[in-house]
Amino acid sequence: MRWKEQLLTLTPYQPGKSIDSVKRQYNLDQIVKLASNENPFGCSKKVLSALQSHEVGFAIYPDGYATNLRESLAAFLQVEQEELIFGNGSDNLIQIISRALLHPEASTVMAAPTFSQYKHNAVIEGAVIKEVPLINGDHDLDGMLKAIDDKTNIVWVCSPNNPTGTYIPENKLVSFLDNVPPEVLVVLDEAYFEYAVADDYYDSIVLTRKYQNLIVLRTFSKIYGLASLRIGYGVANPKIIKALEPAREPFNVSSFGQLAAAAALSDKEFVEECRTVNRKGLEQYYQFCEQNQLTYYPSQTNFILIDFNEDGDKVFQYLLERGYIVRSGKALGFPTSVRITVGSFEQNEGLLKVLKEFLRESRVEQHQGK
Ligand SMILES: Cc1ncc(COP(=O)(O)O)c(C=O)c1O
């Protein structure tokens, strides 16, 4: 078979380890998974009751236009229904956008390290990839502007960025958008938008009105706690949405996903509560880092990237064997760090206790090595 050559160079996405496999492998009863930036508090009770009270016809395809959800989300965001596109997770939207705009004669610009799926999809489409290194965990927006050439079709901006957790302040984002040529699509991935609390965080929906070449991606997988139902959305001016729609498969969002997402929007208190508790959780980690002289990036998300000055895999493995699944920074472009999803107060306490033990042991080892 004549596979696309670039496929042979790719490995499939490596998800965080599953709870069951870790339980079996290390003979543990209790596992805490803080690896994939899911919501440790699950989802709103309103979602659960909506799903229970609704009869979904399993034999019937979902509504390919997501009509009810579209109405609810348009009202929630105060946008027109034609400004929305839905995806089977925002991963699916990244794929749709790449499919629509990338090809071997096109180039695409992104930060590095950033969310892996921009590059992954660009490789599949055979596009020229221009990666611009982060500076201190932040997007180098000037560098990204310089990297744009007359073949560039997409610039990816991840704010807050995964895996650093850092965001782009409003003034910097606006001056960047002012300078991107109008024929280049800017994809602003805001998967962690609902967790952000910075004063100078921008209103991206307003920006889509001003910049006709901007699409904002968001998801119900993070603060809304619906990762397993796979539902994300894009907001952009109707011309962009119309151009993208043919690249979307017709029934890409399940009936359950549509129902759950609409119910999730109706529970603002749940989202606020999760945001507040998440900030307190981040404080637990900040305090730990400061007490132990570890560097980290202040986060606008529900995860934190901590530099242990040690092989990230070693820290990861130590935690894994004690029942905590996190992400080693090695696969994320930060070889001496680990990325930890903020859990409940107790989960954070438990994990930090293990990390303190790790630091104590590794400092003893270093001392003995001298
Ligand atoms: C920055 C970013 N974008 C997109 C996604 C994909 O989210 P989903 O496909 O679950 O909506 C993630 C998931 O971790 C992410 O971190």
Side-chain angles (χ1 to χ4, degrees), residues 112-131:
T114 188
F115 186 54
S116 58
Q117 292 304 294
Y118 317 141
K119 182 170 178 180
H120 189 91
N121 280 284
V123 171
I124 293 174
E125 302 304 338
V128 175
I129 296 164
K130 298 182 151 194
E131 291 180 283

Side-chain angles (χ1 to χ4, degrees), residues 13 36-37 88-92 94 115 118 158 160-162 189 191-192 218-222 227 230-232 303:
Y13 176 72
S36 303
N37 310 332
N88 192 246
S90 44
D91 278 343
N92 181 217
I94 295 167
F115 186 54
Y118 317 141
C158 188
N161 187 43
N162 183 0
D189 183 348
Y192 301 94
R218 292 189 187 162
T219 179
F220 285 91
S221 300
K222 304 301 175 186
R230 312 301 304 122
I231 174 149
F303 60 82

Side-chain angles (χ1 to χ4, degrees), residues 4-7 10 98 102-108 119-129:
K4 280 182 172 180
E5 252 176 49
Q6 58 271 32
L7 272 186
L10 288 173
S98 302
L102 298 183
H103 50 79
E105 283 74 48
S107 78
T108 181
K119 182 170 178 180
H120 189 91
N121 280 284
V123 171
I124 293 174
E125 302 304 338
V128 175
I129 296 164

Side-chain angles (χ1 to χ4, degrees), residues 47 51 87-89 221 226-231 253-254 256-258 260-261:
V47 170
L51 291 179
N88 192 246
S221 300
L226 299 177
S228 72
L229 291 176
R230 312 301 304 122
I231 174 149
V253 181
S254 73
F256 275 124
Q258 295 182 29

